[in-house]
Amino acid sequence: MNAHDPSHPHPARPCPVCGKPAAHATRPFCSKRCADVDLHRWLGGHYRVPVVEEDGGLDDTARDDSARDD
């Protein structure tokens, strides 16, 4: 059996925005509207992953002194 066999379609996943069944033309969304809502969320930063930046224990003066060649 081939994984891409059209006689055994994948089970329909719900739209990630509203939960309705996804439409083939706008998959994985149910409509263009839900696709646009998701795009707006991406562009607005709603899907960003919070990150705590670590500087390796150096303060700003130590970093500036090591970068300077007098």
Side-chain angles (χ1 to χ4, degrees), residues 3 6 17-18 20-21 32 34-35 40 42 45 48-50 57 61 65 67 70:
V17 175
C18 71
K20 293 180 183 177
K32 176 144 176 34
C34 281
H40 182 265
W42 272 104
R48 70 178 172 264
V49 177
T61 57
D65 291 340
D70 288 330

Side-chain angles (χ1 to χ4, degrees), residues 5-49:
D5 187 2
S7 64
H8 299 303
H10 296 281
R13 288 187 162 178
C15 174
V17 175
C18 71
K20 293 180 183 177
H24 182 71
T26 56
R27 195 176 337 157
F29 306 101
C30 68
S31 65
K32 176 144 176 34
R33 179 194 173 278
C34 281
D36 289 343
V37 167
D38 186 70
L39 177 62
H40 182 265
R41 289 177 182 171
W42 272 104
L43 296 175
H46 293 276
Y47 295 131
R48 70 178 172 264
V49 177

